[in-house]
Amino acid sequence: MLEIYNSLSRFKETFKPLHEGHVGMYVCGPTVYGDAHLGHARPAITFDLLYRYLQYLGYKVRYVRNITDVGHLEHDADEGEDKIAKKARLEQLEPMEVVQFYTNRYHRDMAALNVLPPSIEPHASGHIIEQIAFVQKILDKGYAYVSNGSVYMDVEKYAKDYPYGKLSGRNLNDIVTETRELDGQDEKKHSYDFALWKKAAPEHIMHWPSPWSEGFPGWHMECSTMGTKYLGEQFDIHGGGLDLIFPHHEAEIAQSCAALGHETVHYWMHNNMITIAGKKMGKSYNNFITLEQFFKGDHPLLSKPFGPMVIRFFILQAHYRSTVDFSSEALEAAEKGLQRMQEAYTRLQKLQAGKETTVEVAGLRQRCQEAMDDDLNTPFVIAALFDSTRAINTVHDGKGTISEADLNELREVWKTFAIDILGLRLEEQGGDAGKQKAFNGAIDLLLGIRLQAKQNKDWATSDKIRNELTALGFQIKDTKDGFEWSI
Ligand code: ZN
C-alpha cells in the first residue's frame, strides 16, 4: 500500500522515489482561454523550482504539465458552457485557434519567467479516447452511473469503500453543504456526485462521440488519465495550487482509486495562493493583472513595469506554502533586492583571488542545501546568498581577501543555487530595468556627441546622427537646454 504524503517537508529524509533515480511528477497546468496572470506564475515557478532541485540532486525527472483545453466548466455553472467554446463562439474562431493562441502566449510568458518547459505537455483534447476508457473502467467497477447521456461518479458508493475527502480533510457532510454546483442537479443522485462525462448541450461546439452520448469529459478526468498514462499507475509527485485540493484533486484520487483499486500519487504538493493588495484575485476586484501587464506596467494598480525576474524573485522570497501579497511597493522592494544580488553576482565574477581567506564564506553551500531540503525553503536560500554578499563586497572594496579555492567554491555555490536552482537570470546585468537604463544612456551619449558637433559647427556629424536615428524611428527635438528624444 502506498504511503501518502501531503507535503514534501523534510523531503531529504522522507522522499523516496518509487523507482530509484527516477522521479515522475505531474502538475495541473493552465486552462488556455485567456492570458496567464500571477495565479499561473506561482505554481509554474514553484514546480519549476522543484524540477530544477530534483535534477540537481541527481534524479532523472519526467515532468508532465497538462494543458486544459476542454471540459473546464464555469465554476458558477449557470451557463454550463465551456470557457474555450464560449470564447471561440464570441470571437468566431475555431476552438483550437483559441487554444493555440493562448498556449503560445503562455509559453512566451513562462519563458520570460525562466520556467523550464516540462518533459511532456499533454492536451486534454488529445486524450479523449483514453478518458473514455478511464470512465468505462469506473463504470465497470460500479462506482459510476449513467444518467441522461452523462456519467457521474457515485460518491456515496465510493465513500463506503474508500476515504473520500482524505486529502482536504473533508467528510461527506461538509461536502454536501459546500457543494453549490447546480449543473446537472436533476440528473444526479446526490449534489456531490461529479461528472466524469457530460452530454453536450446543442449549443456546445466542442464534443466527441462516446458510448453514452456526444459530449465531453469532466474536468477532473483528464488529470487522472494523462497522469497515469505518462507516469504509470503509481507515480511520485502531483502538484498544483492549493485551490485545486478540493474538488479537483480529491476527485482525481476518487477516480483513480475507483478505476484502479489503489492510490496513484505518493506525494501531493500544493503551493499557496496569491493576493493583490490584500484581496483575492477576481474580476469583481478589477485586480486580475496579467503577466504581460506586469512586464509593461500596464495596469492602474502598478506604479511602473516589473521585469519577469522581479516577479520570479518576489515569488521565491516567500515560502511556497505561505500566501504572497502583491503590491507595487512590495515589488519595488523586491526589485532592489534583486539588483543587489545582480551586483554581487557581477562583482563575484570579477574578484581576484588572494593568498588567504579573511572573509566569512564557509558553510554557504551547506546552508543553501539544508534550506532547500527543508521543504524548498527559498527565503532561507536567498538570505544565505545575501549574507555572502558581505564577503563579496569586502573583497571587492579591498578590505579583505579570498583564496582561490574559496573563490571558486563561492562562484560555484552562487551558480548552482541562484542561477540553476532558483532560476534567477543574474548574468544580464540589471535585468530589464538595467537594459533600459543602458539603452537610454547610449542614446543620450549619442545625442550629446551630436550637440557637441553642432557647437563645433561640424554639421556633417550632427546631421548624420540625427538622420540615422530618425531613420531608426527616433524623434529628436532640439530644446533650449539641449535635446529631447522619444521613439
Ligand atoms: Zn489537474
Side-chain angles (χ1 to χ4, degrees):
M1 189 66 194
L2 202 59
E3 201 176 345
I4 310 302
Y5 293 92
N6 198 358
S7 89
L8 282 174
S9 59
R10 305 299 312 176
F11 83 93
K12 192 188 176 194
E13 287 84 31
T14 62
F15 181 66
K16 295 271 177 295
L18 296 165
H19 307 281
E20 211 188 315
H22 293 255
V23 175
M25 167 167 143
Y26 186 94
V27 173
C28 293
T31 308
V32 282
Y33 60 91
D35 271 337
H37 51 71
L38 277 180
H40 293 99
R42 195 167 192 198
I45 289 170
T46 300
F47 294 102
D48 183 55
L49 174 78
L50 178 61
Y51 182 38
R52 288 165 177 269
Y53 190 56
L54 288 168
Q55 290 181 92
Y56 162 76
L57 293 176
Y59 294 111
K60 193 165 163 30
V61 186
R62 184 179 296 163
Y63 175 17
V64 181
R65 188 187 66 206
N66 66 306
I67 295 279
T68 296
D69 58 355
V70 59
H72 190 177
L73 295 172
E74 296 281 353
H75 278 302
D76 48 1
D78 48 359
E79 299 165 70
E81 188 176 6
D82 188 294
K83 286 175 180 174
I84 293 162
K86 185 175 175 186
K87 188 114 193 163
R89 183 171 55 75
L90 293 176
E91 298 187 8
Q92 294 191 302
L93 295 168
E94 155 67 30
M96 282 302 136
E97 277 182 286
V98 177
V99 167
Q100 191 66 57
F101 180 80
Y102 287 112
T103 302
N104 292 347
R105 288 168 73 89
Y106 179 76
H107 288 159
R108 177 203 61 181
D109 291 343
M110 292 304 117
L113 293 170
N114 206 19
V115 168
L116 300 173
S119 330
I120 306 176
E121 193 173 49
H123 285 235
S125 65
H127 296 76
I128 300 293
I129 292 169
E130 290 90 337
Q131 293 185 71
I132 290 172
F134 210 105
V135 175
Q136 189 60 56
K137 265 191 203 163
I138 299 175
L139 276 168
D140 293 345
K141 295 274 168 76
Y143 293 112
Y145 57 92
V146 182
S147 174
N148 192 27
S150 292
V151 185
Y152 292 99
M153 185 80 188
D154 190 338
V155 171
E156 194 174 75
K157 173 121 193 270
Y158 173 80
K160 287 199 176 102
D161 299 337
Y162 298 94
Y164 186 63
K166 60 184 283 193
L167 186 68
S168 57
R170 284 168 168 81
N171 61 41
L172 271 192
N173 285 334
D174 301 336
I175 293 167
V176 173
T177 51
E178 264 181 58
T179 310
R180 285 175 300 141
E181 197 184 311
L182 297 171
D183 184 44
Q185 202 67 288
D186 45 352
E187 297 174 358
K188 296 195 278 191
K189 287 189 198 168
H190 292 104
S191 62
Y192 44 64
D193 292 349
F194 54 88
L196 305 177
W197 184 265
K198 279 290 286 177
K199 181 181 173 179
E203 67 275 14
H204 203 105
I205 54 179
M206 291 175 90
H207 48 80
W208 292 264
S210 80
W212 317 289
S213 64
E214 189 68 27
F216 53 93
W219 167 40
H220 316 306
M221 188 45 69
E222 65 182 91
C223 291
S224 287
T225 304
M226 299 191 293
T228 51
K229 175 176 168 100
Y230 294 111
L231 297 171
E233 284 197 3
Q234 294 193 329
F235 59 87
D236 298 296
I237 300 169
H238 191 317
L242 206 60
D243 55 334
L244 294 180
I245 288 186
F246 187 86
H248 186 52
H249 290 161
E250 209 71 80
E252 270 188 54
I253 293 174
Q255 290 170 161
S256 298
C257 287
L260 309 168
H262 58 75
E263 294 266 2
T264 298
V265 177
H266 202 181
Y267 299 88
W268 286 93
M269 181 174 159
H270 295 94
N271 62 277
N272 211 321
M273 308 314 286
I274 273 166
T275 53
I276 295 184
K279 285 184 181 138
K280 269 173 76 172
M281 276 193 298
K283 283 195 188 108
S284 51
Y285 294 122
N286 190 30
N287 64 359
F288 245 108
I289 312 179
T290 68
L291 291 171
E292 192 178 25
Q293 286 171 323
F294 272 103
F295 302 161
K296 292 183 174 167
D298 181 19
H299 192 281
L301 290 174
L302 298 173
S303 57
K304 63 196 256 325
F306 292 101
M309 277 310 105
V310 175
I311 305 282
R312 184 169 181 118
F313 183 70
F314 184 63
I315 286 177
L316 292 174
Q317 271 185 317
H319 189 267
Y320 76 89
R321 284 201 276 148
S322 322
T323 54
V324 161
D325 188 49
F326 267 76
S327 66
S328 263
E329 295 75 47
L331 280 172
E332 280 170 28
E335 189 167 44
K336 289 205 181 87
L338 179 65
Q339 271 165 9
R340 267 171 62 210
M341 274 190 104
Q342 283 165 328
E343 272 163 29
Y345 183 76
T346 306
R347 284 182 172 178
L348 178 59
Q349 306 316 310
K350 292 180 187 154
L351 289 190
Q352 302 282 334
K355 277 208 179 84
E356 51 165 8
T357 303
T358 63
V359 289
E360 193 57 59
V361 288
L364 180 62
R365 181 186 292 272
Q366 198 188 340
R367 271 183 74 188
C368 291
Q369 172 124 14
E370 278 176 2
M372 284 303 292
D373 284 341
D374 183 15
D375 199 16
L376 310 180
N377 196 337
T378 51
F380 275 39
V381 178
I382 291 170
L385 291 170
F386 266 132
D387 283 350
S388 76
T389 61
R390 240 177 283 133
I392 294 170
N393 291 335
T394 304
V395 177
H396 173 265
D397 296 342
K399 292 176 185 154
T401 57
I402 187 166
S403 72
E404 190 166 354
D406 283 343
L407 180 57
N408 288 341
E409 168 68 1
L410 192 56
R411 283 181 180 148
E412 181 64 30
V413 173
W414 269 73
K415 161 93 172 55
T416 301
F417 285 91
I419 309 262
D420 297 344
I421 295 173
L422 296 183
L424 297 171
R425 288 196 186 107
L426 299 180
E427 316 87 323
E428 295 160 17
Q429 172 65 50
D432 293 355
K435 269 194 240 167
Q436 191 64 44
K437 206 169 138 195
F439 176 79
N440 292 351
I443 302 299
D444 286 344
L445 176 69
L446 208 51
L447 288 173
I449 293 171
R450 174 175 170 263
L451 197 64
Q452 221 161 32
K454 261 173 67 178
Q455 283 159 357
N456 297 338
K457 303 201 182 335
D458 175 2
W459 307 118
T461 305
S462 146
D463 288 350
K464 183 179 163 66
I465 293 173
R466 182 191 183 94
N467 294 343
E468 297 199 2
L469 282 177
T470 307
L472 288 169
F474 288 89
Q475 287 181 339
I476 297 150
K477 207 170 97 189
D478 292 312
T479 64
K480 238 182 22 231
D481 316 315
F483 53 83
E484 279 173 7
W485 63 270
S486 60
I487 306 174

